[in-house]
Amino acid sequence: MRDQILSVLKEAGTYVSGQELSERLGVSRTAIWKNIKQLREAGYEIEAVTNKGYRLNDARDVDVLNEQELVSRFRTKWAGHPVIYTRQTGSTNDDIMKLSDNGFPEGTLAIAQEQTRGKGRRGRIWDSPQGVNIYMSILLRPKLRPDLAPQATLVMALAIYEALQAMEKPAGVRFGIKWPNDIVVSVDGGAYKKCVGILTEMRMEEMEIRDVTIGTGININQETFPEELKGTATSLKLALGHTVNRAQLTADIWKYFEREYDNFAQHESLEGLQAAYEEGLVNRGRVVRVLDPKGEYTGTAQGITKTGELIVVPDGSDTPVYVGNGEISVRGVMGYV
Ligand code: BTN
């Protein structure tokens, strides 16, 4: 019933009287009112005006995340089907691995309002407060050599970058990709701060890929950050100055991801995506410090190879080094990027 009320209000785009709703849905006006109340509790902004009726505020910056809001916005063939939505979970990456074991298809998406054991890279915890951000993971079963699979992480970063670039934003807001797969944002020329993290986990079976789980955490409408993260982390809301509709952004991300991943799977490399990725690469042309366990050095980042390595020309040298997305991390010399 709530879904029906929502679709009538969405379709109308203006006021619909309680009388009309009750006639169209074949229930009493009291039942309509009770359902409107529940919808408001779920986060929908529904105005009620005497003699006019009900009107849904469906603006882009109204944020309600639930299964129906997601499914109704998805326009993909395989990415994000089915959607397994939960209010709270341990880690959506762990959920995907269980779903994979239970035979769920490639493209299955686990998405949660809150994680109690959110995992970051290098064994870190991913802070996952309730109701403001996106925590989601997708199941992939690429028919690729296992050593090529980590490139899928760069595909994910590119898709998110493209979805963010497509949003309307104030002139001073710049999004970028920090190699290999963080998305960062700068406001009015200020320092780049991280707003998206990606954790990819691969499982093998007899030397072949069993599955790949790409988990994405996006700080969307979070307004405050723990003291230790304030200098390097931010959210889309803090950068853009308004609330972002999480369901719409999610749908946009999977639209871009499906296109870019199909390209990657077809070429078995990033060759068709390299140029688009480099356009977003904030490290490009900047001095980076390469934290190589064999010896740290600084150099200038030039771009990426078609297999996703960062091309760095070390200071005092003309010969580029290809930095792999594994043990080595890269830090900006002037801050996070
Ligand atoms: C990073 O350290 O930058 C990666 C963070 C990845 C967090 C996401 S949130 C959804 C998915 N589930 C997890 O437990 N982690 C990833």
Side-chain angles (χ1 to χ4, degrees), residues 91-93 115 117-121 126 135-137 182 194 197-199 215-217:
S91 154
T92 54
N93 268 28
Q115 296 186 120
R117 289 187 307 278
K119 299 187 285 186
R121 276 184 316 215
W126 185 258
Y135 317 108
M136 62 182 172
S137 307
D182 285 345
K194 174 165 167 171
I198 300 172
L199 173 70
T216 304

Side-chain angles (χ1 to χ4, degrees), residues 6 72 76 79 91 133 203 217 233 252 259 262 279 281 306 322:
L6 273 181
S72 67
T76 48
S91 154
N133 297 331
R203 296 191 297 181
D252 292 344
R259 189 182 71 190
D262 284 345
E279 221 170 90
L281 182 65
K306 65 179 183 164
Y322 304 114

Side-chain angles (χ1 to χ4, degrees), residues 1 5 138 157 179 188 285:
M1 156 99 73
I5 295 177
I138 194 165
W179 182 87
D188 295 333

